[in-house]
Amino acid sequence: MSGQYDFLVIGDDEASLCAAAAAARAGASTAHLRINQRKKQSGAATTPAIPNFVWRRLELQDYDLTLEPASARVTLFKDGDPVITYAKPRETSAALEETGIDDHFVWSDFIEETNGLAANGYLASTLFNAGKDSGKGIAKMLTDPVALERTARLFGPSADLLNDYFTDERLKAHVSAHALGLAGASDREAGSAAALSEFFDEDSWRARTPKDATNLMTVLEIACQDAGVKSYAGKITEIANDGAKQIGVSIGAEDKIRTSYIFFATPEAAAAAGALQGDGRPGLNNTAHASITVRFKLSNRIEPPAGDDKAIFQIIDDLEDVRDARDAAVRGKLHERAPVEFEYTPNGEIVARTAYFPAAFFEDGAWRGWTGQDRQAAAAIIKNRIASRLPDFASQIRRAETEVMTPNTRESFFEGCDRVIVQWRRHNAISAAVKLIDEVMARSE
Amino acid sequence: MNKPADMPEDEEGATVAGRIEGGIDAIVIGDGVDGLAAATYLGKAGLHTILVGAGKEPGGRIAVREIAPGVEGVDGEHLVGLLDPEVIAELDLYRHGLEYAARRLDTTYFFDAYDALRFDGDLSQAANIALDDDEERDALEAFMAELLELSAFLRPAFRPAVYASGDTQKMLGKTLAGASSETASLIRRYLIASAGDVLSARFADGPLKTLLYSEVAFRSASAPNESLSFMPFLRRLSGEAAGLQGAVAYPAGGAIAVVTALRRAAQGAKVDVRASAPVKSILIEGDRVAGVMLEDGGQLRAPIVVAATDASSAFLKMIGPANIDIELQRVLTTQRPEIATARLHFVLKGVAQDETTRANMKRRLFYAPPVEDVTAAFLDARAGRVPEKLIVEAVFPGALDDKLLLDRRQLMSVMAHPVPFDATPDDARREAIKNAALASIEMFATGLSERVETVDLRLPGDEAAAVGANAGAYAAKPDILRQWAIAAATAASGGINGFYFCGPEAQIGSGMSCSAARSAARAALRAYRKGHV
Amino acid sequence: MIFPGEDIFADAPRPTPLFAAVASASEANLWTSINGWTAARVYSSVSEEYETAKNSAALADLGPLTRYAVRGADSADFLGRLTTAPAAGLHVGESARGLMLNEQGFVIDLAEVSRLSEDLFVITTPTAHGRRIKLAARGMNVDADDISGQVAALGVFGPQASGVLAAAGLKSVNETMAASGVLRGVETAARPIQFGALPGVELIFPKDEALTIWERIMRRGVGAPIGLDAMEVLRLESGAPRPGVDFIPADRVSKAGGNNKGRLPEELGLAHLAPLDHGWFNGRRGLRERTGKPERRLISLSIDDEVSMPGAAVFQNGAPVGRITSCAWSPARKRVVAFADIAASSFGKDYEISVPAPKEGRVAARVLETAESALAKAYSGEKGYSAGAATDFRR
């Protein structure tokens, strides 16, 4: 098969499908490519929320789709009470006040500031997306002290921002664990503040499809079809970038297509395809981390220790876990006390994941890839972490499925290709990917 | 001049408690190189300028000290690479005695796993490096050419902007806005990217990648595996020494020679330099500066005050939070320094006999640990642990400058990076840093430890204590965006009319530069001539 | 005492300490949320409440506003930094209004500061500023506690305000000096306030005593509670801009996005609240740089019509120059009084306002002289206005 497209969206997640459908609906000829043929099950029970404008754009009201927002974000510490925050700042600050956390006074201001930082859209696009006037963009940033200060804060370590606001160590640990967990980042690392601000974007609050409702991926696939997105599957075998307006992409043995842009809706999709090779994306060292998901099927339901089964849970002993685990990953080591996030699926399973494991292991002065033993060791760490918080957990496990996603550092078809666009936000990937599609379309007109 | 009419003209010399001294055009606080340079600019322009310094001798953190009986070393810096050529020219520093004992210093790189490599002091000569792999050499040559060109283009961005005046800002805006889209996209990429990403895209694993990784990370607080960590290298390459871009030089007599030349220049400009005169507060009246109050209770009144001390002393202590915008205070207080460079002196017994060693001693010696170890060193230092291996830059003053030659002993001047920042390090921490530095030096100079007679360690806390400054100002420089942001915020001087700031925070990059002093002094002179102060 | 804009999307606001009392007094049962607190829009009817305030005494639950108790040796310096109110110049018992500015001189919020004792101040702001207050206190010997929610705040204003208070046994409370002490067994702070052109007193007391004090006053049968809608009329008549409605506070501007910019005091007609020749305050240097170069103007208008809508276009000589930000029917003027945000270049006297169907077209509007604009004119030294001609809030 061959074809000519404006966009080739590569990725197996919700954000990629949304981006493809949105591009097609906006009139761009669009193809979608699945590389991994992953199971039609999302890696987690929840996904980033679908903001209203995307809902309208894809006319999702015409599909049988229900989404319910996660109830809360809960951190289960080793000792002491859990910290719980909610979608609404006011609800959170009331809850914090109740648990005796003094910082509740500044919670709303904190959300306000992180939102304000994220709203500096032009800064982000100045720094991350090529454009005709990007020299002017950089000049503008450097010559405006206020903009510069915001940019520095946005791309600095999140710890600076958190320490500036809060005194309560548990609250800081809670925020760091939830905001940085998806990237496996440390609060001391440059760029982690951007992850933090993105986490508090109102489009970042996660949602799930309730039990017996149609799976979101399934709905989005149909939405893509209806929008006229051409679907491909297979491995990329060659990319021909001959300097023309379009690049040639060969998929598997048969398909050869030409496209104006290759679009990745999430950094994970880009990492999986090897498009982050040697590319400096903000802060978070995307190629240093593997992301592991373990799906536990249980014989009996286990009650969550706090919140309810619609909450998203993080397990850490304290903030040091976040730093140490990330440092260990950078050094190519597994860390026993890695932060683990888990959720209940609508049918009572527990899905746990962490991005705090290394992309590759450094042993005896050399790097090596994941082995079966490593997978087992990683799964065991995750299991033990959950067992330390859910008393009967270990005895109730019927089956555990482990999936390891490592960034692709072998193939680098994309090197030097300026028509590859990567959307780098994780928490609000759906919203950001559709906005970026619009931006690219507006720019290329 | 707004000298109160009823104030008696003071005699030269120290102030007395309660005494008010007027008739002064400008006061410069801080006697480091920036303070000296700023004062000289003002004095040269005919302003009656007083420089008040906290220390006994001008120079700030650059000072001569006895390391061991009969052995003197220079604290602070040892090489010159960022000193603003325009300052040298405008203040006639060569005429005032600045000369280089060694210009265009070659570098010998040492590795764990590879043979030592020699780099020409002229980085554009990258092609001459003896490498087995032609492809690598071509890649290096292209890379260095690209970096030198780009860093020269970015030079205005590395000069501290005086936002109050708007001129520098406009110029910078114009330069950058005029960048071609290729240049702009390179700048953008090098700005965000981590050193690791940039280098991996250009070089295979090997000595070149290893040495560049360490060079980029050296003296920076940005971990080379994290974003925003590459740009500081461009800042370094934008500097020049003895007329050669990206090169380093050794001044005759050591770094103190810069201070000496500046002192002479200040003298020539009739600057009234007052030592041991710590400032208690900066006087603000309305929205303008009125002078300074000294610790001894005396007052100096002048319409221009230039602060060349660290920003938190100047803004939060001397001016005080009740006179500073909340936003500026926040910029100065949010960031916590974590990484520092250790300054060491080793006094060695005996002299090197073999020819290779003697040749190397005339160069800049640089130990580049394996990439993984450098990354790990930053993780350790940030977590407050002393890393096992440190990046080391070493020079032998006696080999570079005959006058500094010792009898049957040798002085090795070292900078080791990264170590954890600690304002008040205890003895155990000091010992650990000395050992780590020595162990790293052992990696390329086997057996050197046995020749060590004295190890002398200076950390930011020591340097700060010597001049009564805040130690954080002498920690390694944070990421480039933060450096720019702090420089912009401090250079705006809190909007106080007649007040100018050119302390370490106003400078982009580490090392002696005096660019900030030049910007501040020029802004002050412009305002003075227009009658704004 | 200006309420900020309502929280449009808020659900389940918290009850203010006076909620039990005011809820029983509400016939209309029309509530909204301000700063996350319940606030009554109407108790009986807007016109009745308006008349009560004009002729007798009105009682307002001021609980939704934010209050901080400020203690410590540097209190005056701290408040002088945080706001433009001349805190250091206040004697015990005195109050002053001011603005909170960011470092560029743009308005973040309004503020009222009262000195209750040598080192105890109370500051009231329309919205909460926990973070900013924490930042401003850095490096200073000062303690600023958010006491909203812990104390009940009752505003009594109108010509008979003092009579009502006296009748309720709160004799030592007067309208000119702030004070704190024990009033018939209840620890109370009282301070003069002004709502619109009406003078009054704000009583601040522990929330446990809320009902006691409220009933003590209501028993006399003189005053009546007043809701937000009636207060809005009084506010518009007096020319006091409302944050979040008439302008976007500077700290929210970047979130609001688009071409929104902060507003300078003079752009809001409040230059007199941020004088450049008194003590230093945060943002003064930025303000000095920008002063005299307003881009927008917020003006009070009196519109020859019975209804008008926020958002309606304002025309001058046939060309659109801005829009209405807030408006209400003024029973006293028999016209609509409004605030309009216009381009500074079109600052003048006469305008036209677009009106929707059925009367589609334009109606005439004139700049309205208000208590606030009189102060602004006196400050700028405009002819015919001396400081004495307008009643300054500071006494």
Side-chain angles (χ1 to χ4, degrees), chain C residues 37-265:
Chain C
W37 300 103
T38 49
R41 289 189 54 189
V42 183
Y43 287 93
S44 51
S45 83
V46 177
S47 55
E48 262 176 49
E49 293 166 23
Y50 174 85
E51 292 305 326
T52 309
K54 285 264 179 173
N55 303 319
S56 157
L59 275 58
D61 177 8
L62 301 178
L65 300 175
T66 313
R67 276 176 192 74
Y68 300 89
V70 179
R71 289 183 184 82
D74 292 340
S75 296
D77 274 355
F78 163 77
L79 288 166
R81 178 189 202 193
L82 182 71
T83 75
T84 64
L90 291 180
H91 294 292
V92 172
E94 283 184 330
S95 301
R97 287 194 299 159
L99 301 171
M100 285 169 66
L101 306 183
N102 73 4
E103 88 281 25
Q104 294 170 291
F106 293 118
V107 179
I108 292 174
D109 209 347
L110 316 169
E112 285 181 24
V113 174
S114 300
R115 187 169 210 158
L116 297 180
S117 71
E118 204 44 54
D119 57 0
L120 172 63
F121 289 81
V122 170
I123 169 171
T124 308
T125 54
T127 48
H129 295 285
R131 163 70 177 167
R132 195 164 180 79
I133 280 176
K134 215 171 128 189
L135 278 179
R138 276 189 191 165
M140 291 193 169
N141 176 11
V142 68
D143 243 342
D145 293 321
D146 188 338
I147 52 168
S148 9
Q150 296 165 31
V151 293
L154 177 64
V156 184
F157 50 85
Q160 293 181 27
S162 51
V164 171
L165 292 165
L170 303 172
K171 263 192 207 109
S172 45
V173 173
N174 68 40
E175 283 168 46
T176 54
M177 294 294 271
S180 59
V182 179
L183 283 178
R184 295 183 88 184
V186 178
E187 189 143 349
T188 308
R191 57 170 180 165
I193 56 166
Q194 191 168 358
F195 201 96
L198 302 170
V201 170
E202 179 190 31
L203 296 171
I204 302 171
F205 38 89
K207 65 174 173 189
D208 302 340
E209 308 293 345
L211 285 173
T212 320
I213 300 262
W214 174 267
E215 273 169 14
R216 198 179 287 168
I217 291 171
M218 288 298 284
R219 253 203 319 263
R220 318 308 293 194
V222 188
I226 184 169
L228 278 180
D229 290 7
M231 285 197 275
E232 181 72 356
V233 182
L234 295 169
R235 175 187 78 83
L236 284 161
E237 285 178 352
S238 74
R242 188 171 172 189
V245 173
D246 295 313
F247 67 96
I248 300 172
D251 55 349
R252 313 264 157 112
V253 163
S254 75
K255 201 188 167 194
N259 291 324
N260 284 303
K261 279 186 75 180
R263 291 285 186 267
L264 298 168

Side-chain angles (χ1 to χ4, degrees), chain A residues 113 126-128 130 134 139 142-143 149 153 163-164 188-190 278-279 283 285 326-327 330-331 367, chain B residues 163 169 173 176 184 188-189 191-192 197 225-227 330-331 334 336 338 372 375 379-380 382 385 484:
Chain A
E113 167 155 2
T126 295
L127 286 175
F128 301 116
S134 56
L142 284 184
T143 50
E149 214 276 315
R153 238 183 295 155
N163 289 332
D164 199 32
R188 298 272 11 140
E189 137 177 40
D279 201 353
N285 200 338
R326 180 265 177 182
D327 285 0
V330 169
R331 290 175 200 247
W367 292 94
Chain B
Y163 287 89
Q169 195 180 349
L176 288 172
R188 212 178 41 242
R189 181 168 157 63
L191 177 56
I192 324 164
D197 281 346
N225 64 320
E226 290 174 16
S227 69
R330 182 179 179 201
V331 176
T334 40
R336 252 186 234 172
E338 293 175 320
E372 286 79 13
T375 308
L379 299 179
D380 281 334
R382 192 182 268 173
R385 299 182 294 261
W484 268 329

